Amino acid sequence: MKKKSLRGEIFLYFIIVFILFSVAILGFQYEREKKYRTAQLENTLDNITEITWRFIEQNQLPGNNQFERIREIENIIPQPDTRITIIAKDGNVLYDSFVSDYRNMENHLVRPEIQKALQHSKGSNIRTSATTNVDYYYYAKQFPGYFIRTAVVYNVAIKNFLQAEKNYIVFIIMVFTGIGVVLYMV
């Protein structure tokens, strides 16, 4: 039976700790990157809700019941193909930029993003639209008297945008592998 050397045992334990540390750092950074990218998308959608809210208030659309005028700002919105929905506090849809027959849409009060907005003043959710049968990344914000919900189609471009950068992970693995080789040699 071959006896392990003290040096070999110490190196083995050191490598195990090093690998665990590397995996922890990679996992932490990966999640942080995903949260950062999600926050970027939500910030863009929040800006669109604020622009929409200012337009609604400036033109007194609720009093005149002229929410169709929101189409006037669609050309200045930075994110192309953004869906804008205005939802009354009771859940009735007052306007939807992607649905022409929005007055006959079902009540939206139970939608997850609206429920989150009720609790926290804003909320988001990724789900398939019951109306259009398309996957969306929804963002809703509560305003006095109504909710403004913005959404972008949850397609490959948005999925890729929300994923953490793969090059960073490859770089970290290469650096940690190089350090591991140097430690082995030492």
Side-chain angles (χ1 to χ4, degrees):
M1 187 161 124
K2 199 173 189 181
K3 194 174 185 183
K4 288 184 180 179
S5 70
L6 180 61
R7 181 177 163 187
E9 268 187 61
I10 290 173
F11 178 74
L12 177 66
Y13 293 130
F14 189 77
I15 279 296
I16 290 171
V17 169
F18 181 74
I19 289 171
L20 291 174
F21 176 75
S22 299
V23 168
I25 293 293
L26 278 172
F28 173 76
Q29 190 60 31
Y30 182 80
E31 285 303 313
R32 191 171 146 197
E33 179 83 10
K34 277 177 43 177
K35 286 179 183 175
Y36 172 74
R37 288 173 175 266
T38 301
Q40 278 185 307
L41 178 60
E42 287 187 7
N43 187 43
T44 300
L45 293 174
D46 185 65
N47 287 338
I48 294 168
T49 61
E50 288 291 326
I51 290 168
T52 305
W53 175 72
R54 286 193 175 117
F55 183 82
I56 289 170
E57 293 301 308
Q58 201 167 46
N59 292 292
Q60 300 172 352
L61 300 185
N64 301 330
N65 200 17
Q66 294 180 332
F67 287 107
E68 293 86 16
R69 286 193 58 204
I70 292 173
R71 293 202 189 282
E72 295 173 22
I73 64 169
E74 287 179 5
N75 293 333
I76 63 169
I77 291 175
Q79 184 77 20
D81 299 324
T82 302
R83 181 178 177 185
I84 300 172
T85 310
I86 311 300
I87 303 163
K89 289 288 186 173
D90 63 2
N92 289 325
V93 176
L94 303 172
Y95 173 78
D96 191 303
S97 63
F98 277 31
V99 180
S100 58
D101 192 22
Y102 59 83
R103 286 185 173 87
N104 293 322
M105 292 171 69
E106 63 185 50
N107 192 293
H108 278 46
L109 197 58
V110 295
R111 300 293 200 262
E113 63 278 1
I114 299 299
Q115 286 297 307
K116 289 177 187 175
L118 271 170
Q119 295 172 357
H120 308 290
S121 79
K122 59 185 174 180
S124 61
N125 194 34
I126 300 170
R127 63 178 178 78
T128 303
S129 168
T131 307
T132 64
N133 206 27
V134 174
D135 290 340
Y136 288 99
Y137 188 101
Y138 287 104
Y139 177 83
K141 192 168 185 178
Q142 186 174 187
F143 292 95
Y146 51 89
F147 298 93
I148 298 176
R149 184 182 72 179
T150 53
V152 290
V153 175
Y154 191 66
N155 56 18
V156 174
I158 295 296
K159 287 178 188 176
N160 289 339
F161 174 77
L162 293 177
Q163 287 182 348
E165 186 68 40
K166 301 277 192 262
N167 294 338
Y168 174 79
I169 293 171
V170 170
F171 173 75
I172 291 294
I173 289 172
M174 287 174 32
V175 167
F176 284 157
T177 302
I179 291 171
V181 168
V182 169
L183 288 174
Y184 177 75
M185 294 167 67
V186 169

